[in-house]
Amino acid sequence: MSTPLLEVEDLTTTFSTDNGDLTAVDGVDFVVDEGETVCIVGESGSGKTVATESITRIVKEPPGRVEGTVRFKGRDLMAMSDEELRQIRGNGIAHIFQNPQEAMNHCYTVGWQIAEALQIHQDVSDEAARARAVDLLDRVGIANASARFDDYPHEFSGGQKQRVMIAMALVGDPDLLIADEPTTALDVTVQAQILKLLDELQDEFDMGILFVTHDLGVVAQIADRIVVMYAGKVMERGGVLDIFEHPAHPYTQQLLNCVPEIGGNEGGIPGTLPSPHDPPDGCRFAPRCSYAEQACRTGGQPEECEVSPSQRVSCIHYRDGRDPSMLRENTPGAEQGSNEVSSADD
Ligand SMILES: Nc1ncnc2c1ncn2[C@@H]1O[C@H](COP(=O)(O)OP(=O)(O)OP(=O)(O)O)[C@@H](O)[C@H]1O
Ligand code: SF4
Ligand SMILES: [Mg+2]
C-alpha cells in the first residue's frame, strides 16, 4: 500500500486558560489519501478548526499544546523545525479560511497579494509572478483577470474574494488543501459554484482536500470520506454513501436530520455541547443521546467498532454481541430506503 498523503494519529490539542486546561481535540485519528476529499463534520465547537490548524501547527503555542503524530507524505511534521514547517505550509499544505475578509490585506491590490505570495515561495521575476497571478485568477473563474489584477479587495464580491483566496492557496502548488468552512459566508448558489471549482481544481492540481464544515448538506457535494467529530472526539467515519445511506452513530443521524432536504429539523439538535473544560465520562454524546444507557456514562469514549470495512463508529450498541438495529429505526430517510445524495462525480 502506498503512503497516505496525510496521517494523523492520536492528535490532542490542549489550551491553557484562566479556568484551567481545556482539551479541544482529544486523541483524533484520520487519513487523507492522495487526490481524495475528506470532510470533517460536526457542530460548532467540536474541535474541527483546532484539529486542522494543529496539523501545520498554526495553532498558537502557547496557550495551545499539540501532541500526537502527524505525517505528511511519510514525513513527521511534529519533529520539524519552524523553518521546515514554514516550507510545508507554503508548498505542501495550503489553508483556505472561512472569512476571506480577514485573510486579505485591504491596502494592496488582489493581484499584488497573489504575486507576493508566489515570490515568497519561488524565485521568479515580477513579470513572471504577475503572469502567473493572472493565470491563477483566470483559473479560479475571475472574469477579465488581467484587468482585475489591479483591483482592491473591496472591489470583489464575497464569492469572488473566496475565489481569490483559493488562487492564493494554489500558488505553491500544494499537495493538500485544507479548507475550513470556505463557503459558510456565501449564499447557496455561490457556495455550489465554489464547491464545483474546488472539485475541478482538485483534479487539475492533483490535490488531496481536507474540508471542514458544520453542514452535512455541503459534504454531500464534495466528500469521498467523512469524519464526524463531536466535542473533540471522532464519533463515526465512513465513505460518503455509508454516512448518508446508513449513518450508524446517533449523533450522525441527528446531524443528518438537520439537513433540510433530508430530515427537515431546522431547529438543530436539542441540547448543547458539553464544556470542554469538563467533558462527561464515557461517551461525550450521552447527555444528548436518546439511546444512552448506564454503560454509556462510564469509561472513556467507546472504542470504534467496524460497521463495514469502510465505516467505523464509536457507540456501545455496535459492540460484539449487541444488536444495533433499534438505532436504525430513526435513521433519517429510513422509510424511503435511502437518502438522496449527489456524489462529487455528478
Ligand atoms: N485559542 C483558544 N483558547 C482556548 N480555547 C480555544 C481556543 N481555540 C479554540 N478553543 C476552544 O476549542 C473548542 C473547539 O474549537 P474549534 O474552533 O476547533 O471548533 P469548531 O468545530 O471549528 O467550531 P466552528 O464550527 O464554530 O468553527 C471550543 O470549545 C473553543 O472554544
Ligand atoms: S455510546 Fe451510548 S450515548 Fe454514545 S452514542 Fe452510543 S448509545 Fe448514545
Ligand atoms: Mg471552526
Side-chain angles (χ1 to χ4, degrees):
M1 244 174 68
S2 62
T3 309
L5 183 60
L6 180 76
E7 295 168 276
V8 172
E9 283 170 19
D10 202 18
L11 185 69
T12 301
T13 305
T14 307
F15 293 100
S16 305
T17 74
D18 293 344
N19 301 322
D21 279 4
L22 164 167
T23 303
V25 174
D26 196 356
V28 162
D29 302 319
F30 59 87
V31 165
V32 182
D33 283 318
E34 273 177 32
E36 79 164 343
T37 301
V38 174
C39 285
I40 302 185
V41 203
E43 284 167 293
S44 183
S46 302
K48 307 180 299 291
T49 294
V50 173
T52 51
E53 295 191 352
S54 297
I55 290 169
T56 50
R57 310 278 288 278
I58 46 181
V59 162
K60 217 162 153 246
E61 295 175 88
R65 190 174 68 247
V66 182
E67 294 162 294
T69 307
V70 180
R71 278 186 294 268
F72 176 64
K73 294 163 107 179
R75 294 173 68 200
D76 180 2
L77 297 192
M78 301 294 273
M80 283 188 184
S81 66
D82 287 349
E83 181 47 40
E84 286 171 309
L85 269 177
R86 245 193 307 277
Q87 292 286 334
I88 293 281
R89 285 187 209 120
N91 299 326
I93 305 178
H95 282 263
I96 312 174
F97 301 97
Q98 175 173 350
N99 194 344
Q101 215 80 14
E102 285 163 22
M104 259 189 248
N105 190 325
H106 291 259
C107 305
Y108 296 95
T109 66
V110 150
W112 185 89
Q113 292 184 60
I114 300 174
E116 168 79 0
L118 193 77
Q119 285 179 308
I120 289 174
H121 302 301
Q122 291 167 33
D123 186 18
V124 288
S125 68
D126 290 352
E127 294 84 69
R130 183 182 175 107
R132 177 78 178 131
V134 168
D135 181 44
L136 280 169
L137 282 172
D138 182 54
R139 189 56 208 90
V140 298
I142 300 290
N144 208 359
S146 181
R148 302 294 319 260
F149 183 97
D150 295 312
D151 286 347
Y152 287 87
H154 74 267
E155 295 172 273
F156 288 76
S157 70
Q160 286 174 332
K161 281 197 196 94
Q162 197 52 283
R163 288 175 190 268
V164 171
M165 292 312 301
I166 295 171
M168 221 175 273
L170 295 175
V171 295
D173 200 3
D175 296 307
L176 176 66
L177 186 65
I178 299 181
D180 189 351
E181 308 260 14
T183 61
T184 304
L186 306 173
D187 73 50
V188 178
T189 314
V190 180
Q191 176 171 299
Q193 291 165 356
I194 298 285
L195 294 175
K196 185 161 173 286
L197 172 66
L198 283 174
D199 194 41
E200 290 165 7
L201 292 171
Q202 177 168 44
D203 285 344
E204 189 178 328
F205 286 76
D206 197 17
M207 297 180 294
I209 297 182
L210 182 59
F211 192 98
V212 170
T213 178
H214 64 275
D215 181 353
L216 265 172
V218 165
V219 168
Q221 297 178 54
I222 189 161
D224 295 312
R225 288 189 305 111
I226 298 172
V227 176
V228 181
M229 268 187 84
Y230 181 77
K233 296 273 192 192
V234 173
M235 297 290 124
E236 176 167 11
R237 66 185 78 229
V240 63
L241 293 178
D242 296 323
I243 299 295
F244 277 85
E245 294 194 347
H246 35 86
H249 198 282
Y251 178 60
T252 315
Q253 295 173 0
Q254 296 252 27
L255 273 183
L256 270 173
N257 253 326
C258 298
V259 177
E261 299 78 25
I262 297 175
N265 173 19
E266 287 178 27
I269 303 175
T272 51
L273 266 84
S275 159
H277 285 286
D278 185 23
D281 277 348
C283 177
R284 299 244 161 130
F285 191 54
R288 297 168 82 185
C289 181
S290 41
Y291 304 101
E293 41 186 78
Q294 199 42 42
C296 302
R297 298 194 169 90
T298 55
Q301 186 64 41
E303 288 281 313
E304 286 182 33
C305 302
E306 193 171 284
V307 179
S308 74
S310 59
Q311 187 177 11
R312 298 174 72 82
V313 59
S314 163
C315 171
I316 65 164
H317 287 279
Y318 293 82
R319 284 182 179 160
D320 284 347
R322 297 207 50 165
D323 175 11
S325 58
M326 64 179 281
L327 273 59
R328 301 231 185 253
E329 284 163 18
N330 289 334
T331 302
E335 314 88 73
Q336 293 90 29
S338 72
N339 297 310
E340 293 280 317
V341 48
S342 57
S343 81
D345 300 331
D346 285 351

